[in-house]
Amino acid sequence: MTGGRWSPVERGPRWRVAVGVPPAAEADGWLAADRLADPASRELGVLLEAERTSSGHRTGHAAALTLMAVYAGWVTAAAVLHWALTDEVPDLRAGNVLVRPGAHGIAGVRVREARLLPPEAGEPSVALLHRAVLTGHLLPMAEALHRRTRAGLRQLRGGVAHGCATALCASDAEAGLLERRWRLLVRDAPGGLAALGETTRVRGERDGRERLVYLRRTCCLFHTSAEAVRCASCCLTDRAERLRAYAAAR
């Protein structure tokens, strides 16, 4: 794998990434993602407030847990899926990313430059993905949310794991391939992500297609929001019940 230009592929809204600085008329609505690692930053406060008001969360730590899962499942999703399918890593490090807040946290994702990251000498692609997406973006944000709201760090990292898994589980790619790539991604991942949930394959009752699904071992507290519903992957729901619901949904 070598560095070079990256052409974002339109695979659906979850993986949609715009390129370049935003138009002047909307520039004020975009936030620099590298500011989200500062627990006292205005940018982190804006995203937390967007999540709190859209979900109707009553506490800051609950808003932080939901935000972390949503953020990881949208902002860096394109890098996770692109790596899984091509073994290349787009540059979605925090310093290259802009985000626009919206309902449930995120309304848009941009990169300043559309480029692929070159590996260091002898560096496997999964280690490069860890460096770019986890240690270079999501895990520092989880730490900042923990310091700002006192949300549990393990639960926040569970949101990171859930979001990265969702980047794969929402894809129509072959389930076996996605499952193998997920296991490779978490096997030595920083933050202990491997212990925070599991993937498995489920066949849809209506269309007969096999898909990858994720079962969480941490809770994002979304059921305490005004919407008062559990996520499909929620650890508070019995495992067999979650699998039946996943199968019935397709």
Side-chain angles (χ1 to χ4, degrees), residues 67-89:
L67 171 62
M68 191 71 255
V70 171
Y71 187 96
W74 287 84
V75 176
T76 55
V80 175
L81 183 62
H82 190 85
W83 164 81
L85 299 181
T86 70
D87 217 36
E88 298 174 331
V89 180

Side-chain angles (χ1 to χ4, degrees), residues 99-238:
V99 297
R100 185 160 56 91
H104 290 314
I106 306 302
V109 181
R110 304 185 75 92
V111 290
R112 300 178 192 275
E113 294 185 51
R115 58 196 175 204
L116 297 170
L117 290 171
E120 296 179 353
E123 183 180 36
S125 68
V126 68
L128 177 56
L129 184 73
H130 289 166
R131 181 160 57 86
V133 170
L134 297 179
T135 60
H137 197 151
L138 298 179
L139 292 176
M141 180 178 171
E143 177 68 32
L145 286 168
H146 167 64
R147 292 173 60 191
R148 183 164 185 145
T149 70
R150 300 303 179 187
L153 189 56
R154 181 177 183 273
Q155 290 172 284
L156 287 162
R157 289 174 175 172
V160 171
H162 175 251
C164 290
T166 299
L168 301 185
C169 293
S171 171
D172 286 332
E174 196 269 318
L177 168 65
L178 295 171
E179 186 173 39
R180 291 190 297 274
R181 298 300 275 176
W182 171 253
R183 290 177 177 173
L184 177 60
L185 189 158
V186 298
R187 186 176 62 195
D188 298 313
L193 303 193
L196 303 179
E198 63 170 310
T199 55
T200 189
R201 285 180 269 176
V202 169
R203 192 169 298 280
E205 293 177 358
R206 288 176 289 175
D207 64 11
R209 287 196 57 193
E210 188 177 56
R211 292 178 174 85
L212 191 68
V213 299
Y214 188 69
L215 305 173
R216 298 187 66 162
R217 296 187 183 126
T218 64
C219 182
C220 69
L221 295 183
F222 191 64
H223 68 282
T224 69
S225 72
E227 297 190 28
V229 295
R230 292 183 184 179
C231 304
S233 62
C234 184
C235 61
L236 301 180
T237 304
D238 178 76

Side-chain angles (χ1 to χ4, degrees), residues 1-14:
M1 183 177 63
T2 60
R5 299 296 298 172
W6 170 51
S7 298
V9 177
E10 179 54 63
R11 293 189 173 100
R14 183 173 297 279

Side-chain angles (χ1 to χ4, degrees), residues 5 18-21 31-34 91 94-98 110-115:
R5 299 296 298 172
V19 178
V21 297
L31 308 174
D34 56 359
D91 187 359
N96 193 40
V97 174
L98 301 169
R110 304 185 75 92
V111 290
R112 300 178 192 275
E113 294 185 51
R115 58 196 175 204

